Amino acid sequence: MGKIELVLIKPGKTFTNYRHLIITEATEVCILNIIKGRLYPDKKTMNPTYEPYPTKQETVDRLNELASELRTKGFVEAQREVLFQIPGKEIYVYDKAKWHYEGDFPKELDIAQAYVPTGMFITWLIKNDMIGKQSCKNDASDIELVKRNEMTGAQFYRKNWDGVLSSKEMSEEADVFAREYLDIHNDLYTAVDFTNTLAAGLPTVYHVQDSNENYHIIEPIITERYWEWKSRQRL
């Protein structure tokens, strides 16, 4: 798997606008990750979208086209380290459904589809007892529904967590695992595993059906990633 990335910034009076463009090569498609955001003295905002293309060259052409447009608007190239100079926050936000349905989201789909990719990861967390203590207490009845396959993780994500997945919803171990697996700057889960396993041949990752059958397809892939990660922690 190769990766190409470009960081462009446009400094302002109180914040710096940035665009982080990353190409991730999957098996059947290439993904252009477009992360829009602002850099403040004490925080960083992120609004990621994903654009799939059938070939690497088409993806590179789109990246160059977008970079050219941004340069005409006053953006300049910067080192990626500029994105990591903000002091770390105690609560780390991995994903928000609105980042997707307010971004480059297919108009023909119900916004419920924006919850599906992360929702399946949440199903895995629930079934493996990796939910934070507060959520275990507050969401106990719906957690049991997910475990019994009577509610999907996407439905749980929307109803119980308002479409926000952060470190506070996870166990300590799950949080550390997710820092690597769900890292927006090197997205292994959505751009690689979810895309290759469930979204291959579909227009976008949002077209994957929210079903228990699809979850059971992606489940062993996530589990394998987890055990690979866990084995590295013991070295």
Side-chain angles (χ1 to χ4, degrees):
M1 180 181 68
K3 188 171 71 168
I4 300 172
E5 61 183 313
L6 179 66
V7 175
L8 296 160
I9 63 171
K10 183 179 180 180
K13 290 184 178 180
T14 58
F15 60 82
T16 295
N17 273 307
Y18 76 88
R19 300 291 186 272
H20 190 186
L21 312 178
I22 312 167
I23 292 176
T24 304
E25 293 183 65
T27 302
E28 297 187 11
V29 296
C30 278
I31 306 292
L32 176 59
N33 303 274
I34 304 170
I35 306 171
K36 305 176 183 179
R38 293 176 176 180
L39 300 172
Y40 293 90
D42 62 343
K43 67 178 180 178
K44 175 175 70 176
T45 66
M46 294 189 299
N47 183 6
T49 57
Y50 305 92
E51 294 183 5
Y53 294 93
T55 68
K56 181 177 180 179
Q57 188 57 54
E58 288 177 83
T59 318
V60 171
D61 289 345
R62 172 58 179 151
L63 181 148
N64 290 333
E65 176 188 29
L66 186 54
S68 179
E69 291 174 3
L70 290 167
R71 289 187 178 102
T72 65
K73 296 177 181 178
F75 282 79
V76 296
E77 190 169 344
Q79 296 296 317
R80 72 187 300 272
E81 286 73 22
V82 73
L83 302 176
F84 304 99
Q85 296 173 358
I86 308 300
K89 293 291 184 179
E90 185 178 358
I91 302 301
Y92 186 91
V93 177
Y94 291 98
D95 196 25
K96 292 185 179 182
K98 73 174 184 179
W99 288 347
H100 303 281
Y101 62 71
E102 290 182 356
D104 187 20
F105 187 75
K107 293 181 174 60
E108 73 273 14
L109 296 181
D110 188 287
I111 66 168
Q113 290 299 117
Y115 297 78
V116 174
T118 296
M120 290 199 183
F121 181 72
I122 291 170
T123 302
W124 185 87
L125 291 175
I126 290 173
K127 287 179 177 287
N128 287 276
D129 296 317
M130 291 191 180
I131 300 300
K133 291 180 181 178
Q134 194 62 43
S135 183
C136 284
K137 179 180 178 181
N138 295 341
D139 308 314
S141 60
D142 285 340
I143 285 172
E144 286 305 311
L145 291 179
V146 175
K147 286 186 174 183
R148 298 200 302 264
N149 296 326
E150 295 174 17
M151 173 186 277
T152 68
Q155 292 166 341
F156 179 93
Y157 183 36
R158 189 174 186 177
K159 176 186 175 185
N160 298 76
W161 294 351
D162 296 322
V164 178
L165 176 62
S166 72
S167 54
K168 71 178 183 180
E169 281 82 38
M170 301 183 188
S171 69
E172 219 172 284
E173 183 182 44
D175 182 32
V176 180
F177 169 53
R179 299 279 173 135
E180 178 178 310
Y181 190 41
L182 270 63
D183 178 8
I184 191 64
H185 303 288
N186 186 28
D187 183 8
L188 291 175
Y189 172 62
T190 306
V192 179
D193 291 346
F194 190 88
T195 295
N196 291 343
T197 306
L198 295 177
L202 298 178
T204 71
V205 295
Y206 308 116
H207 284 77
V208 172
Q209 184 181 2
D210 183 26
S211 66
N212 290 317
E213 290 75 17
N214 275 334
Y215 168 72
H216 290 309
I217 294 172
I218 191 72
E219 178 183 39
I221 308 299
I222 302 173
T223 300
E224 183 178 357
R225 290 284 194 184
Y226 166 74
W227 284 111
E228 287 175 357
W229 167 83
K230 198 169 181 66
S231 67
R232 292 197 301 274
Q233 311 312 300
R234 295 175 182 146
L235 298 178

